[in-house]
Amino acid sequence: MSVAVLWFRRDLRLADHPALLAALDAADEVVALFVNDPHLQRASGPPRLAFLAGCLAELHDRTGGHLVLRTGDPVPEVADVAREVEADQVFVTADFGPYGTRRDAAVGKALAADGRRLTPVDSPYAVVPGDVTTAAGEPFRVFTPFHRRWKEHGWGLPADEPTEPKWVTGLRSDPVPQGPDLGAITILPPGERAGRDRLVDFAARVADYSRGRDFPAEDATSRLSVYLKYGCLHPRQALDAVKYRKGEGAERFRAELAWRDFYASVLAAFPWSARHAFRPEMAAMKVDTGPDADRRFQAWAEGRTGYPIVDAGMRQLNEEAWVHNRVRMVVASFLVKDLHLDWVRGADHFLDRLQDGDLASNHHGWQWVAGTGTDPAPYFRIFNPTSQGKKFDPEGDYVRRWVPELRHVVGGTVHEPWKLKGGPPRGYPQPIVDHDEERRESLARYNKIREHTTERRPGPGARRSEP
Ligand code: FAD
């Protein structure tokens, strides 16, 4: 009887799982393996660890209790399991992140030393990173032409869940991890079933997505990011769920999934871009450090900047481990262009706090806002937190939901509490900086580096794009 190993990582589901189907095809029985890797545990904040623990508990149930959990460095752990069951192959969904690529190379080497093979199948993306390239075979650096090619390339249909897979039983397993106590933080329910329910619910209301997606007080976005992050859902399934839906809503939703693929492709091609400005000339931008900068960072992180839309966003992050996309852009811009702090500092904070924290989407989202990234979002476009609040939260409902000190302030006036009679309500701070002044300061810093370099412009025909 032949045995293969299916090593689960960011693909915590049974439906539409090409690596699982390949393992079942290759052998009579399959070991369902998950390795709790201390390196990844250290890099994940409590919301992600709690979500992961919930996904593993569900997977354990759905494999009839036969999920094999091991704890430690995946290099010896995976090789040990493969040796124990004498498996020729270990199947995985390919990983394209900087750490995952290095880890898989090392695991592949350890298996090969034993005469076994690591077999990557599929990817966590609609289109495998590296498959969509320019005519010259180069990775795209700008979204719009990538998106065009991505649509032409297309993706397959989701595969069915295997009926009665034969899992290897009786292997030693660590217990399913508990996950940390999140206290008052509420996260979305983990797992494949919860992800599928959310997708079904969202697909029925996708028509309104294009209009509603910019208004943080509305529940108009899919909230699928964390399910995609952990592979409780594959983007193929999301694309399939809206494939017969015509109109701008479905089109826009597909485009957002293309942004996810784009950032993964960029990170795969340029792994250094997780920590360094994609546009090298921007690395010279002066950023503030020291005790005063630390105090400003703290006020930002606690949602006490005195700018209501920024504070609402940061408090949503602290309480829900998720922030609406429009508000992610506003709070990130505030950190970089009003507080003059390094985008990497903000990105690392987000990665730690977000339930959907993902190196490619997060760090490139930050780079986009900071004007250091792939797409030509020019540095001199600076979000004004007050006008962003008035435009995208016109009635102030989002701010009132997250900032209790402002709950009694009616309508859109909530965005300028410093203009209220007697100033901001008790307990709510005055703005910690003056936006107009800091905007000028940002532009002055930008002009300094421009003296040495020229702004890179989008290529002919490229329109300015915004995720
Ligand atoms: P929807 O609006 O319903 O979009 C559908 C899906 O498309 C999302 O689930 C996501 O997978 C993808 N998507 C949407 N917008 C983007 C985008 N701009 N870039 C890449 N993919 C996108 N997304 C993450 O998944 N993890 C992160 O850590 C992350 N950090 C971000 C940090 C900043 C500063 C910014 C500006 C954006 C970040 N994003 C991140 C992208 C985006 O904000 C979230 O994907 C989105 O808000 C998740 O909510 P949703 O599932 O309701 O999105």
Side-chain angles (χ1 to χ4, degrees):
M1 193 190 51
S2 59
V3 174
V5 176
L6 188 268
W7 174 20
F8 285 101
R9 295 101 64 90
R10 283 182 51 189
D11 47 359
L12 304 177
R13 65 180 185 281
L14 296 181
D16 189 25
H17 199 312
L20 169 60
L21 295 176
L24 289 166
D25 254 7
D28 302 318
E29 288 193 355
V30 171
V31 178
L33 172 69
F34 183 85
V35 180
N36 234 326
D37 177 350
H39 175 88
L40 289 179
Q41 272 188 314
R42 277 193 301 275
S44 309
R48 278 201 279 149
L49 289 177
F51 190 87
L52 172 65
C55 293
L56 293 174
E58 188 199 60
L59 204 55
H60 188 258
D61 276 359
R62 299 201 57 214
T63 53
H66 301 308
L67 180 67
V68 174
L69 286 129
R70 296 284 166 97
T71 307
D73 179 353
V75 178
E77 294 298 335
V78 173
D80 279 357
V81 172
R83 196 175 307 119
E84 204 176 321
V85 295
E86 294 178 8
D88 290 340
Q89 292 189 76
V90 174
F91 290 85
V92 288
T93 303
D95 190 325
F96 292 85
Y99 171 74
T101 310
R102 284 197 307 275
R103 175 202 56 201
D104 288 357
V107 172
K109 217 166 139 191
L111 289 171
D114 241 5
R116 306 177 208 284
R117 206 153 25 106
L118 185 74
T119 308
V121 180
D122 196 37
S123 82
Y125 304 99
V127 174
V128 177
D131 277 9
V132 165
T133 60
T134 65
E138 296 290 322
F140 281 107
R141 293 158 182 263
V142 175
F143 176 72
T144 307
F146 170 89
H147 186 203
R148 204 177 302 128
R149 278 288 303 122
W150 181 84
K151 284 196 281 190
E152 285 161 9
H153 182 285
W155 41 85
L157 289 174
D160 287 338
E161 186 170 327
T163 46
E164 298 181 30
K166 278 214 153 105
W167 304 112
V168 173
T169 62
L171 295 182
R172 175 183 72 75
S173 173
D174 295 335
V176 176
Q178 275 298 306
D181 178 4
L182 293 181
I185 303 172
T186 50
I187 59 169
L188 294 180
E192 182 175 7
R193 286 200 176 114
R196 242 187 283 170
D197 289 351
R198 192 161 286 270
L199 176 58
V200 169
D201 169 69
F202 175 72
R205 54 191 174 84
V206 71
D208 192 39
Y209 177 71
S210 175
R211 182 207 60 82
R213 66 182 288 276
D214 261 329
F215 297 97
E218 297 187 25
D219 184 20
T221 70
S222 69
R223 300 286 306 260
L224 287 173
S225 48
V226 68
Y227 299 100
L228 293 166
K229 161 78 195 172
Y230 282 97
C232 308
L233 275 181
H234 193 277
R236 260 189 312 265
Q237 294 170 293
L239 288 160
D240 191 63
V242 300
K243 76 176 168 193
Y244 296 121
R245 313 237 174 210
K246 298 259 181 292
E248 270 181 49
E251 196 52 43
R252 188 67 206 233
F253 179 62
R254 280 188 279 273
E256 296 311 318
L257 292 169
W259 273 105
R260 180 175 180 272
D261 275 22
F262 174 59
Y263 284 151
S265 299
V266 172
L267 186 62
F270 310 102
W272 49 264
S273 65
R275 305 222 69 80
H276 303 283
F278 191 75
R279 308 172 78 191
E281 70 275 18
M282 294 299 287
M285 178 67 76
K286 180 174 169 252
V287 293
D288 290 355
T289 53
D292 206 41
D294 292 348
R295 265 192 298 278
R296 280 183 271 137
F297 180 83
Q298 201 53 33
W300 174 82
E302 286 172 10
R304 299 196 53 75
T305 67
Y307 284 95
I309 190 87
V310 174
D311 294 340
M314 295 311 291
R315 294 188 197 191
Q316 182 176 27
L317 176 65
N318 294 340
E319 292 178 38
E320 253 189 1
W322 183 84
V323 188
H324 188 277
N325 180 60
R326 167 63 45 186
V327 186
R328 288 188 204 208
M329 293 194 270
V330 173
V331 302
S333 176
F334 191 81
L335 185 92
V336 174
K337 295 177 184 172
D338 286 76
L339 302 184
H340 316 295
L341 303 180
D342 189 354
W343 68 266
V344 178
R345 194 170 179 185
D348 286 349
H349 182 76
F350 257 41
L351 201 61
D352 184 55
R353 297 294 169 100
L354 281 169
Q355 186 179 2
D356 63 18
D358 174 80
L359 193 66
S361 294
N362 185 59
H363 281 53
H364 278 286
W366 272 87
Q367 291 227 38
W368 184 89
V369 175
T372 59
T374 47
D375 268 56
Y379 188 86
F380 51 80
R381 287 217 182 140
I382 295 178
F383 281 86
N384 177 325
T386 308
S387 45
Q388 286 283 313
K390 285 179 174 171
K391 185 167 177 194
F392 296 110
D393 184 30
E395 298 306 319
D397 293 332
Y398 176 75
V399 163
R400 276 188 296 277
R401 189 180 306 156
W402 294 107
V403 186
E405 304 95 291
L406 298 176
R407 248 170 222 164
H408 65 281
V409 183
V410 289
T413 53
V414 78
H415 293 294
E416 293 172 292
W418 54 88
K419 285 193 179 165
L420 296 171
K421 208 164 159 227
R426 221 179 138 81
Y428 190 71
Q430 285 281 357
I432 58 166
V433 291
D434 179 302
H435 171 70
D436 290 335
E437 244 172 59
E438 303 310 336
R439 181 176 180 281
R440 280 192 292 277
E441 170 64 20
S442 253
L443 292 177
R445 293 184 189 203
Y446 176 60
N447 284 332
K448 260 219 162 86
I449 60 170
R450 273 191 86 198
E451 285 163 14
H452 303 290
T453 52
T454 46
E455 167 85 7
R456 203 179 72 193
R457 296 282 169 198
R463 65 176 171 78
R464 294 226 185 276
S465 43
E466 188 176 288

